[in-house]
Amino acid sequence: MKANQTVLKEFILVGFSSYPHVRPFLFVLFFGLYLLTLTGNLAILGLTWADRSLHTPMYLFLRALSFSETCYTLTIIPKMLADLLTEKRSISVPGCGLQMYFFLGLGGTHCIILTLMGYDRFLAICHPLRYPLLMTNVVCGHLVVSAWAGGFLISVTETALIFGGSFCTPNLIHHFFCHMRAVVRLSCLDSDLTELLVTMISVSGLTGTFLLIVTTYVFILSTVFRIPSAEGKQKAFSTCASHLTVVIVHFGFAAIVYLKPEGSGGDDTLIAVPYTVITPFLSPLIFSLRNRDMKNAFRKLLAKRSFWNT
């Protein structure tokens, strides 16, 4: 147990204070990316809701993914933007716990929904005749609810482990949000053991969902390669291209953050930026630009608007 134990009421987020000269530039950059991220996700939510042709399990999963991603960015980026403009970068201990709880819960939900999207493509390509029976909108809804329950079950476990004890001074969190590794190091108890436990839970969740996705794509590729025509292969794989791209980006950046060895060097604040800012920005962009149905739905919406305006 650490000797400098005291009752802390707030933490100080060190964040980007080490880069005072570039903070105005970072604010403009992150604010622009955040607006584009919100616009992209809200556009996906609106299109998949308004166009009846997109009321299918595949797009219900996409709608759930966009909603969880919108909530995910709301837990971190507004606070980060405010801290870039002020010298007082404090957050209360309960507020820090809530931010961590929602960040971990929504991050876990995001991983599970990506896994379910891979399972949906597996059923559609490998079992096309049984797909309408196996994956109905009702089943899709139940799976999405299960994804939220699973994500927040992991989150409440990790948050309880970290905030179960008291914290010692100094109350400096060397990050721009309440990242679990940065917060657990301030614990007055055996922080090494707690950090090991929460890291193992997070890494197990990441690698478990990633391996499930890889397994589904092994079966998908084996089925696609057995399709005789080149056109049939291209059509089958085109339905997976956007999802596969997002999976690579999401788990790639997540691996850099969570699989980074302790003491390997590098600024954790900068390392987390791609995972918390860039990935949410790229995800709606990829799903919109690389998806023919989404582009068609957008064209139809524009055509309707131009019709009513004439």
Side-chain angles (χ1 to χ4, degrees):
M1 183 176 288
K2 299 175 184 176
N4 52 347
Q5 182 173 349
T6 185
V7 178
L8 295 181
K9 293 184 178 179
E10 65 177 18
F11 295 116
I12 303 298
L13 295 167
V14 176
F16 297 97
S17 58
S18 302
Y19 312 96
H21 300 297
V22 296
R23 276 165 55 189
F25 168 75
L26 290 176
F27 174 83
V28 174
L29 176 64
F30 293 158
F31 183 66
L33 290 175
Y34 182 53
L35 286 181
L36 291 173
T37 301
L38 277 181
T39 303
N41 281 316
L42 291 176
I44 290 174
L45 288 169
L47 286 174
T48 54
W49 179 268
D51 196 319
R52 289 190 173 275
S53 65
L54 300 181
H55 290 187
T56 61
M58 176 180 173
Y59 292 102
L60 289 177
F61 282 127
L62 179 57
R63 188 191 305 171
L65 189 77
S66 295
F67 179 72
S68 71
E69 198 163 64
T70 301
C71 297
Y72 173 85
T73 54
L74 280 171
T75 63
I76 293 177
I77 298 182
K79 171 64 176 169
M80 178 188 70
L81 292 173
D83 287 346
L84 283 170
L85 297 178
T86 182
E87 295 301 322
K88 183 175 172 57
R89 296 176 294 275
S90 61
I91 185 170
S92 67
V93 173
C96 184
L98 281 173
Q99 187 188 59
M100 183 185 297
Y101 169 71
F102 283 107
F103 170 75
L104 293 173
L106 291 164
T109 301
H110 199 77
C111 290
I112 297 172
I113 292 176
L114 282 173
T115 307
L116 293 175
M117 292 175 78
Y119 176 65
D120 174 70
R121 293 299 82 208
F122 160 74
L123 290 179
I125 293 173
C126 300
H127 303 282
L129 298 179
R130 299 175 59 197
Y131 177 74
L133 297 174
L134 295 173
M135 186 60 73
T136 63
N137 286 354
V138 174
V139 171
C140 175
H142 290 162
L143 289 173
V144 169
V145 171
S146 300
W148 280 78
F152 279 91
L153 178 62
I154 295 171
S155 172
V156 74
T157 303
E158 293 182 313
T159 307
L161 283 171
I162 293 171
F163 283 83
S166 55
F167 295 95
C168 292
T169 55
N171 61 339
L172 301 177
I173 297 176
H174 292 276
H175 222 296
F176 58 85
F177 71 101
C178 291
H179 189 274
M180 60 179 191
R181 276 188 175 180
V183 175
V184 77
R185 289 167 189 161
L186 303 180
S187 174
C188 296
L189 303 176
D190 188 354
S191 61
D192 291 338
L193 177 60
T194 306
E195 183 175 358
L196 177 63
L197 286 173
V198 295
T199 301
M200 285 180 62
I201 293 171
S202 294
V203 170
S204 298
L206 277 172
T207 54
T209 50
F210 180 70
L211 288 175
L212 285 172
I213 294 173
V214 169
T215 303
T216 60
Y217 272 99
V218 168
F219 287 106
I220 287 172
L221 288 174
S222 66
T223 302
V224 169
F225 287 141
R226 288 200 299 267
I227 298 175
S229 66
E231 183 182 354
K233 290 178 181 177
Q234 183 179 3
K235 184 179 179 180
F237 196 71
S238 65
T239 63
C240 306
S242 299
H243 175 255
L244 187 57
T245 305
V246 170
V247 165
I248 293 171
V249 171
H250 175 82
F251 284 95
F253 284 138
I256 294 172
V257 173
Y258 289 100
L259 300 182
K260 172 180 170 285
E262 192 68 25
S264 61
D267 190 336
D268 287 344
T269 301
L270 296 179
I271 290 172
V273 167
Y275 184 61
T276 54
V277 180
I278 306 300
T279 301
F281 163 70
L282 291 176
S283 181
L285 200 66
I286 294 167
F287 277 119
S288 300
L289 296 181
R290 300 198 62 177
N291 190 294
R292 185 177 57 188
D293 292 335
M294 292 293 295
K295 289 189 283 188
N296 289 339
F298 185 65
R299 291 192 192 100
K300 284 194 289 183
L301 183 64
L302 291 179
K304 284 183 181 179
R305 287 177 62 88
S306 60
F307 173 77
W308 289 110
N309 290 334
T310 55

